[in-house]
Amino acid sequence: MASDNSAFAHGEWHPPGSSRSVASGLVEAGERLVASDETGAELAGGSLTAIEISPRVGRISRRVTFPDGSLFETNDNDAIDRFLSRKGRSGAGLVHWLERFHPRLVAFVVATILLGALIYRYALPALVEVAVAVTPPIVPRIMSASTLETMDRTLLGETKLDDARRGKIVDGFRRIAALSAAGEAAYTLNFREGGPIGPNAFALPDGTLIVTDELVELVGNDTEMIVGVLAHEIGHVEHEHSLRQIYRAAGVAALIMLIAGDIGSGAEDVLVEGGGLLALSHSRAAEAEADRHSVELMMKAGRDPTAIARFFELLETKLDDHSDTSIFSTHPGTPERRKAILELIAELRKG
């Protein structure tokens, strides 16, 4: 006789070949496993090696089959698993493991990641080109105003350059802007203290150009170098690089929110505004195209076309900038780019 108080699982016992059920408990009695009724009387029992316990399959009742053919059923799967674990036996079958592992969910996540990668690699660039083609003029102006406002609020400060120094740069800028495809009226030059951005210059989609005080201080009295950098930025605008990058950043943010679901308004603001700032950096292909534009525009204006190459050399020597060093490194001063620019100048002069 076994005490019901020691039962570790409760359920129903069925005699051999009968549908009759008796409320009972499963009791561990030394090396034996016993099914006992409410009075503690043994209904069936046997050694663990002679008893068959069904593997766990989700929430389906477990069956304990005794040597005499009687059957004990219980929904207390966790209790059976704990008992088997104490005895050094696995309680969960493969099906239950797969159920807990949620293979369908894993497959869905993998499929979502692959779909997102395909959209990013193939669909997004195509959609960006379509968006650029159908964008009305007012949109780049709105985008640029919003981006500059965000940067003025979070990163940039008022310029501290004196009027004479700014005037010299503006004069050189106007001369090359007048020779651009859109003309001088299409561009506006702004001076700002760079703060965390440091020495830099960048262009917004509507032709708004920004030069930081730190860049002006870095080049010293070499105004030609700054003019070459501004010619490079005009190239970004004329080839619509900035507009493409903003659309691309917005597309990536939308893709992340589509996959991640509701990430909260704060996170959405970070994605959108951060995407706008990241859009100020360009691909190497876009940078090479803008480099060529700088050389061609400087030569057209009768100015020194090597100015942009000297700028990259300056970044290499003074800032040790030999590669993309940060998210704001929109003009990585690599030796390869400088070499390519000098080779382009030689090629154009021969032609």
Side-chain angles (χ1 to χ4, degrees), residues 47-326:
S47 65
L48 293 179
T49 57
I51 291 175
E52 181 183 342
I53 301 177
S54 64
R56 181 165 184 169
V57 180
R59 295 185 177 84
I60 296 177
S61 299
R62 300 291 278 280
R63 292 188 172 192
V64 179
T65 305
F66 291 96
D68 63 358
S70 63
L71 186 69
F72 174 83
E73 280 190 320
T74 179
N75 291 321
D76 199 349
N77 286 301
D78 291 338
I80 299 295
D81 286 342
R82 287 192 294 269
F83 167 75
L84 292 174
S85 178
R86 289 197 305 272
K87 297 301 180 180
R89 296 169 59 180
S90 173
L94 176 62
V95 175
H96 176 64
W97 181 84
L98 289 174
E99 182 188 67
R100 294 182 63 189
F101 187 63
H102 297 299
R104 286 178 296 179
L105 179 59
V106 173
F108 176 77
V109 171
V110 171
T112 301
I113 292 173
L114 289 176
L115 179 60
L118 289 173
I119 291 174
Y120 178 81
R121 178 66 179 84
Y122 298 106
L124 185 58
L127 291 173
V128 166
E129 292 304 315
V130 171
V132 170
V134 301
T135 298
I138 187 64
V139 174
R141 290 198 291 270
I142 294 173
M143 288 180 172
S144 299
S146 175
T147 301
L148 185 57
E149 180 186 359
T150 298
M151 297 192 74
D152 280 339
R153 187 176 68 250
T154 59
L155 298 170
L156 303 176
E158 292 186 10
T159 181
K160 294 181 173 58
L161 296 177
D162 59 64
D163 292 341
R165 202 164 189 183
R166 279 186 289 155
K168 195 173 181 180
I169 296 170
V170 169
D171 181 63
F173 166 70
R174 285 176 175 170
R175 291 175 184 271
I176 59 165
L179 297 173
S180 67
E184 181 185 344
Y187 298 95
T188 304
L189 181 60
N190 299 271
F191 295 88
R192 293 288 192 277
E193 187 175 46
I197 293 179
N200 217 320
F202 51 90
L204 299 178
D206 70 338
T208 298
L209 274 60
I210 294 92
V211 175
T212 67
D213 294 358
E214 292 83 348
L215 178 62
V216 177
E217 295 296 335
L218 179 67
V219 303
N221 295 321
D222 194 341
T223 304
E224 200 79 348
M225 195 183 296
I226 298 179
V227 174
V229 171
L230 294 175
H232 172 99
E233 295 304 327
I234 288 175
H236 280 313
V237 177
E238 291 200 349
H239 293 287
E240 299 179 311
H241 295 154
S242 299
L243 184 59
R244 283 184 173 84
Q245 285 297 86
I246 286 180
Y247 277 137
R248 190 176 187 87
V252 170
L255 187 60
I256 291 173
M257 287 187 281
L258 178 65
I259 294 173
D262 185 6
I263 57 177
S265 59
E268 288 180 12
D269 290 342
V270 170
L271 281 176
V272 174
E273 294 189 4
L277 298 180
L278 286 174
L280 299 177
S281 65
H282 302 285
S283 69
R284 287 190 174 274
E287 291 293 356
E289 194 170 30
D291 288 346
R292 183 181 184 91
H293 189 278
S294 173
V295 169
E296 292 174 343
L297 192 56
M298 292 290 279
M299 292 181 75
K300 186 177 180 180
R303 307 186 76 104
D304 182 6
T306 65
I308 189 71
R310 291 204 314 276
F311 173 69
F312 293 137
E313 184 178 13
L314 181 69
L315 293 184
E316 291 172 33
T317 56
K318 286 195 174 182
L319 300 183
D320 194 30
D321 186 6
H322 299 284
S323 62
D324 298 333
T325 55
S326 74

